[in-house]
Amino acid sequence: MIRVLIADDQAMVRQGFGALLAAQPDLLVVGDAPDGAEAVAAARRLDPDVVLMDVRMPVMDGLEATRRLMTPGSTVKVLILTTFDLDDYVYEALRAGASGFLLKDAPAADLVHAVRVVAGGEALLAPSVTRRLIAEFAARPRTQRPRPTALAALTPRETDVLRLIARGRSNQEIAADLVVAEQTVKTHVGRILAKLGLRDRAQVVVFAYESGLVAAGE
């Protein structure tokens, strides 16, 4: 059973998402919150697997709430929900450790799928904005670059996989590009995350661009 907490400043949104998710046999809505501060408190109290986090909320926004939830040892996953497909806060939320990004007007089935994907340890970015999201990362000033030794820890094949993840490729697509089994790609991804100390593929994208490994237009 996947435990879900919903954080949104609109009661109707919380109720609508809650009813949708509660109807699924493998999802359990453990609570909701009208702002980021209450979301952080509720998450620490209720220990959800996934937090559906609105971006713009009173008291504390979704970005700061995400930062506070991503403490060392935390296993909670944050799925950012927004009505804006290029909201500046979304980029910062991914840097803060969010595992996914989905538009609020996405089909109901996409929301349910997104919760399951994120709970399973994968990252999820809305297909309609993935390419623009990556391009936006590439265009932004690169600050706080990882130390060179971080990339040096990867094997050449792991570096290839890292580049392809950063370009939005799925495991299946990477397997086809490199002519290897999909399970082999999964193994490489796991090793990349472990060696670089990253949570999921969303952080891999951030790392690849901010380290300069991948640049716009490549």
Side-chain angles (χ1 to χ4, degrees):
M1 187 69 71
I2 299 171
R3 298 165 56 82
V4 183
L5 173 70
I6 302 170
D8 194 287
D9 62 343
Q10 298 183 41
M12 290 184 66
V13 172
R14 298 197 303 274
Q15 293 167 4
F17 285 164
L20 171 64
L21 298 177
Q24 308 304 311
D26 59 334
L27 304 181
L28 175 65
V29 178
V30 296
D32 59 49
D35 60 65
E38 289 198 29
V40 172
R44 290 172 176 167
R45 183 176 69 254
L46 300 171
D47 192 28
D49 299 302
V50 177
V51 177
L52 297 184
M53 186 77 76
D54 188 19
V55 175
R56 297 179 176 178
M57 294 184 289
V59 184
M60 180 188 297
D61 64 29
L63 170 59
E64 181 60 26
T66 298
R67 284 197 186 109
R68 296 195 183 192
L69 288 176
M70 297 297 107
T71 56
S74 173
T75 59
V76 66
K77 305 294 194 305
V78 174
L79 176 59
I80 297 292
L81 294 168
T82 180
T83 55
F84 304 96
D85 64 354
L86 286 177
D87 194 313
D88 285 345
Y89 284 106
V90 171
Y91 311 126
E92 297 305 324
L94 289 174
R95 288 190 176 97
S99 295
F101 168 33
L102 194 70
L103 302 183
K104 285 186 179 179
D105 60 0
D110 286 1
L111 175 60
V112 173
H113 174 69
V115 171
R116 290 172 177 152
V117 167
V118 169
E122 295 290 335
L124 185 141
L125 304 178
S128 64
V129 300
T130 299
R131 295 188 186 281
R132 280 178 290 167
L133 177 64
I134 291 174
E136 177 71 12
F137 271 127
R140 284 170 173 251
R142 295 171 185 152
T143 59
Q144 299 179 340
R145 294 189 178 208
R147 293 175 298 178
T149 53
L151 284 174
L154 302 181
T155 67
R157 181 43 60 94
E158 288 166 354
T159 302
D160 291 340
V161 172
L162 174 57
R163 286 194 179 97
L164 291 172
I165 292 173
R167 291 170 184 153
R169 300 286 204 280
S170 67
N171 284 351
Q172 185 176 18
E173 291 169 335
I174 293 172
D177 287 344
L178 300 180
V179 194
V180 297
E182 188 173 349
Q183 184 57 49
T184 300
V185 175
K186 291 180 180 179
T187 299
H188 286 314
V189 172
R191 289 174 179 167
I192 290 168
L193 295 176
K195 288 182 178 181
L196 300 181
L198 304 175
R199 293 173 60 90
D200 52 38
R201 297 170 81 98
Q203 288 200 328
V204 168
V205 173
V206 176
F207 178 96
Y209 279 104
E210 293 190 339
S211 68
L213 179 66
V214 176
E218 289 187 338

